[in-house]
Amino acid sequence: MGMKSKSKKMMMLLMASIMVLSLAACGGNGNASKESANNKAANTNTQESTEPAATPSADEPGWKSDTSPITFDWYLNFAWFPNKWGVDPTSQYVTKKTGVDINFIVPAGNENEKLNTLIASGKLPDFITLGWYEDGVKKMIEGGLVEPLNKLAEEYDPYFFKIADPDKLGWYTQPDGNVYGYPNSSSSPKDYEQYGDTYVSNQTFVVRKDIYEAIGSPDMRTPEGFVAALKAAQEKFPEINGQPLIPLGLHEFTATGNDSLEGYLQNFLAIPRQKDGKLYNRETDPEYVTWLKTLRKANEQGLLAKDIFIDKRAQMEEKIQQGRYFAMLYQRTDFAAQLGTLFQQDPNKIYIAVDGPANSKLDAPTLNGPSISGWTVTLISKDVKDKARAIKFLSYLMSEEGQKDLYLGEKGVSYDTIDGKDQFKPEAFDLMNKDRSAFDKQYGSSFTFWMMQNTNITQQWQPESVEPYKQLEDWTRGKTISVSEFDLIDPLANSDEGIILSKIKDLRSKTLPKLLMAPSDAEFDKIWADYVKKQEDLGLAKVQAFQQTKYDENKKKLGMQ
């Protein structure tokens, strides 16, 4: 596990997904997670003892050797990230201890534009954190813009290898034998066998409790029941505080598609990801097409508001806080702050998880649980102002000590030893649940700064979940599956297959709204047939062959065959 003080008991408690308390929004596919798999890390051994005597110790945290003041620029590829380092006592405590101050750089608008501009400039900030699934990761590695972490560790901080998880290093080892990024919230298939029943997913179908109960708490698993419920909600509650009700909320439509209408819906319908070892093209599944047609029918009946086609996350958060959605197929951690506020105002007007769209056999959903890829990866750029301090600080953040500092904060401030256990002070925990953004500024702990969070390590200090978050988490228990082997199977953006895939995603992003807005089933069928044909003409088979090869390699890496 890479953690020497990990006890069996703690392992048992491993929590897959980022707890609501950490409020981290996990990138598009909602992959939040814990520890990692079982392939041996390639090329990450510390150098042999032929080194001169001044070699840094592998047993002692490297950061302790230099705590003079230094400020690193840290780019986070998440426009929604609201916090600054140094405002709260937790980050002040870390700076006081390590000497490291952080200047966060967060894009104001479109993340990819900002990241591409940085990459094109050839000059990157010291640290970069982005979703592992982002193309920018490959671009930076291919462009030689980032440092191999294993090389930095060998030279400046061999302690890194003591605390890094060899399975994660193995998973992220590139063809050149180097590792350039380390994940947060990462977990392995091996862990599933033992602790799968404790895992939670971020993927939920939620309804506004009071409205749902007022229309008789209907079964929304079937297409008929689903549309009838949206209709009943709209008829009974046409307005919420003078604004039109939005019957159904979805993740935003982006330039590549829509999370709710792709992975989420397919998972709720328990559509397999592979059949007999061959990757399955899930969107061709008849059950999936039936549900897209169901949404088309809902739109024809005026049950899909125009808002959902244009709103971004910020607009959604505002409307969730106003309680304007009846139902949402949405990532629970993305609206936890709003949920907390609603709960304070009226515990009856909150969102609760219920059984949502299901396949014709009414099978339970197969939701993304934790995966080895995690949620984000953090890289150190070639332009880093101090290589030694950078790798040492990264090691500190990854270590149990750093995890405790960023999770619990400073002793006596946000946590104390209460009843013999290190835990959040009651007033801090209370604020965390009532007003998360105020908590971030007042305390800054509980992973306000989640860049390297490892929920396996912090599980030992994690308080029991409270309402209204607990109900959503509990609903996902037992419905999560490991999807590690399906991660990292896409081609590089500038390869032939990558160019085809980006054209297919572009086509999908343009097609999904058209399908939902089609005036009739016949028109839907025509758009659908055209879409399938266009994908084939673009070269879908070539992309699928590439993905199949990668998938087979992943299974080997994870010891699954």
Side-chain angles (χ1 to χ4, degrees):
M1 292 294 296
M3 293 305 313
K4 41 175 197 262
S5 57
K6 278 268 174 75
S7 65
K8 263 280 191 284
K9 175 165 183 281
M10 196 208 126
M11 286 282 296
M12 289 216 3
L13 292 166
L14 290 178
M15 250 340 172
S17 80
I18 300 179
M19 315 125 331
V20 152
L21 304 180
S22 88
L23 277 205
C26 298
N29 43 14
N31 268 338
S33 321
K34 41 145 268 330
E35 281 289 74
S36 197
N38 56 349
N39 45 312
K40 290 298 161 272
N43 302 19
T44 51
N45 298 324
T46 42
Q47 288 167 334
E48 295 306 299
S49 54
T50 48
E51 289 287 359
T55 311
S57 159
D59 294 316
E60 183 62 23
W63 67 268
K64 292 184 173 175
S65 60
D66 182 355
T67 57
S68 59
I70 185 169
T71 301
F72 284 119
D73 292 324
W74 195 314
Y75 176 75
L76 293 174
N77 199 41
F78 298 91
W80 51 263
F81 184 75
N83 299 300
K84 300 253 185 296
W85 188 268
V87 171
D88 61 280
T90 298
S91 54
Q92 290 166 3
Y93 169 62
V94 170
T95 297
K96 189 169 69 198
K97 181 172 178 170
T98 62
V100 177
D101 199 351
I102 296 173
N103 168 42
F104 283 121
I105 300 167
V106 177
N110 183 310
E111 286 101 347
N112 288 340
E113 279 171 26
K114 172 78 174 169
L115 187 61
N116 287 335
T117 305
L118 281 174
I119 291 171
S121 78
K123 187 142 179 50
L124 295 173
D126 304 301
F127 288 89
I128 305 101
T129 296
L130 68 170
W132 63 260
Y133 42 83
E134 298 282 355
D135 243 10
V137 179
K138 296 162 187 161
K139 284 183 186 158
M140 288 186 286
I141 293 172
E142 286 185 336
L145 299 173
V146 285
E147 292 280 354
L149 300 180
N150 49 303
K151 293 275 202 314
L152 289 181
E154 279 164 14
E155 195 169 343
Y156 306 107
D157 186 26
Y159 185 70
F160 172 88
F161 296 111
K162 202 176 183 81
I163 50 146
D165 184 315
D167 287 339
K168 291 180 191 180
L169 293 176
W171 181 250
Y172 277 111
T173 295
Q174 299 299 315
D176 65 3
N178 292 320
V179 179
Y180 295 88
Y182 198 82
N184 74 354
S185 300
S186 154
S187 285
S188 78
K190 248 202 316 212
D191 298 325
Y192 265 82
E193 295 162 24
Q194 233 167 326
Y195 325 105
D197 55 351
T198 66
Y199 286 166
V200 290
S201 172
N202 269 339
Q203 302 179 335
T204 48
F205 177 69
V206 300
V207 290
R208 201 176 116 170
K209 184 174 186 285
D210 56 336
I211 299 180
Y212 183 66
E213 287 168 358
I215 61 170
S217 305
D219 184 345
M220 296 181 73
R221 294 177 300 168
T222 64
E224 304 70 39
F226 187 85
V227 176
L230 296 186
K231 199 174 167 68
Q234 194 184 49
E235 281 170 1
K236 202 157 188 163
F237 300 88
E239 289 196 341
I240 303 293
N241 300 330
Q243 308 241 53
L245 174 86
I246 305 168
L248 179 66
L250 302 170
H251 275 275
E252 62 189 73
F253 283 85
T254 69
T256 56
N258 182 302
D259 288 338
S260 299
L261 296 178
E262 294 174 64
Y264 275 47
L265 184 52
Q266 289 157 7
N267 291 353
F268 268 78
L269 303 179
I271 295 172
R273 290 166 173 79
Q274 58 86 30
K275 290 184 174 183
D276 302 322
K278 291 279 168 272
L279 287 174
Y280 180 51
N281 185 0
R282 301 173 88 198
E283 69 175 9
T284 59
D285 196 279
E287 301 268 7
Y288 176 66
V289 178
T290 296
W291 272 93
L292 285 184
K293 282 188 162 176
T294 301
L295 293 172
R296 185 214 70 77
K297 183 172 272 155
N299 188 58
E300 189 185 0
Q301 296 180 30
L303 300 171
L304 297 187
K306 293 283 173 280
D307 317 44
I308 70 175
F309 294 101
I310 49 179
D311 283 350
K312 297 273 173 254
R313 178 167 162 182
Q315 285 83 35
M316 279 203 71
E317 286 178 354
E318 202 178 306
K319 290 171 184 175
I320 292 169
Q321 193 136 330
Q322 296 163 351
R324 285 186 59 193
Y325 297 96
F326 160 56
M328 294 187 285
L329 188 55
Y330 206 65
Q331 174 159 283
R332 65 185 171 78
T333 49
D334 275 17
F335 68 96
Q338 292 73 40
L339 186 64
T341 307
L342 290 170
F343 188 66
Q344 293 311 312
Q345 292 164 353
D346 183 345
N348 205 33
K349 292 184 175 171
I350 57 167
Y351 289 94
I352 56 167
V354 296
D355 292 338
N359 63 31
S360 52
K361 298 204 247 345
L362 300 182
D363 291 324
T366 51
L367 307 177
N368 286 20
S371 91
I372 192 165
S373 299
W375 162 35
T376 67
V377 285
T378 293
L379 307 96
I380 295 176
S381 91
K382 278 273 200 280
D383 302 304
V384 67
K385 54 175 73 80
D386 185 329
K387 292 182 187 180
R389 291 293 293 280
I391 188 69
K392 287 170 181 178
F393 187 61
L394 192 69
S395 294
Y396 157 74
L397 293 174
M398 287 159 54
S399 70
E400 181 147 350
E401 181 178 4
Q403 293 289 316
K404 186 172 185 178
D405 289 346
L406 282 174
Y407 185 71
L408 285 179
E410 186 175 9
K411 187 160 190 175
V413 182
S414 51
Y415 90 95
D416 245 323
T417 308
I418 305 167
D419 302 328
K421 178 176 158 46
D422 287 347
Q423 54 182 298
F424 289 113
K425 292 169 82 164
E427 62 271 27
F429 186 55
D430 194 43
L431 184 63
M432 191 195 301
N433 290 310
K434 281 202 171 94
D435 186 342
R436 179 66 208 210
S437 52
F439 171 89
D440 287 344
K441 287 171 189 60
Q442 197 174 320
Y443 293 105
S445 51
S446 186
F447 285 128
T448 294
F449 305 101
W450 40 255
M451 304 90 75
M452 301 312 297
Q453 73 180 8
N454 179 336
T455 41
N456 297 331
I457 298 180
T458 56
Q459 174 59 38
Q460 56 189 310
W461 307 296
Q462 189 187 324
E464 286 287 309
S465 287
V466 295
E467 297 304 357
Y469 317 103
K470 185 179 185 307
Q471 189 272 340
L472 300 184
E473 275 178 32
D474 287 347
W475 181 86
T476 70
R477 283 180 210 280
K479 300 181 177 80
T480 61
I481 61 165
S482 170
V483 292
S484 290
E485 66 271 29
F486 303 99
D487 287 350
L488 298 174
I489 60 174
D490 286 348
L492 297 173
N494 57 4
S495 64
D496 291 349
E497 294 88 352
I499 291 162
I500 296 168
L501 182 60
S502 71
K503 286 179 180 165
I504 287 173
K505 285 181 176 176
D506 180 63
L507 175 67
R508 181 174 302 151
S509 80
K510 293 184 168 71
T511 306
L512 282 169
K514 287 183 190 157
L515 290 166
L516 299 196
M517 292 175 178
S520 66
D521 272 350
E523 188 59 28
F524 177 104
D525 290 339
K526 197 160 149 285
I527 297 166
W528 186 259
D530 185 47
Y531 169 58
V532 171
K533 168 102 172 65
K534 274 190 182 140
Q535 287 192 71
E536 282 166 13
D537 294 346
L538 283 169
L540 176 64
K542 201 170 173 179
V543 176
Q544 287 172 327
F546 179 93
Q547 290 173 327
Q548 182 67 39
T549 303
K550 283 289 190 201
Y551 166 65
D552 292 337
E553 283 170 17
N554 282 352
K555 285 200 295 188
K556 277 201 189 73
K557 251 185 176 182
L558 295 169
M560 295 173 71
Q561 59 184 39

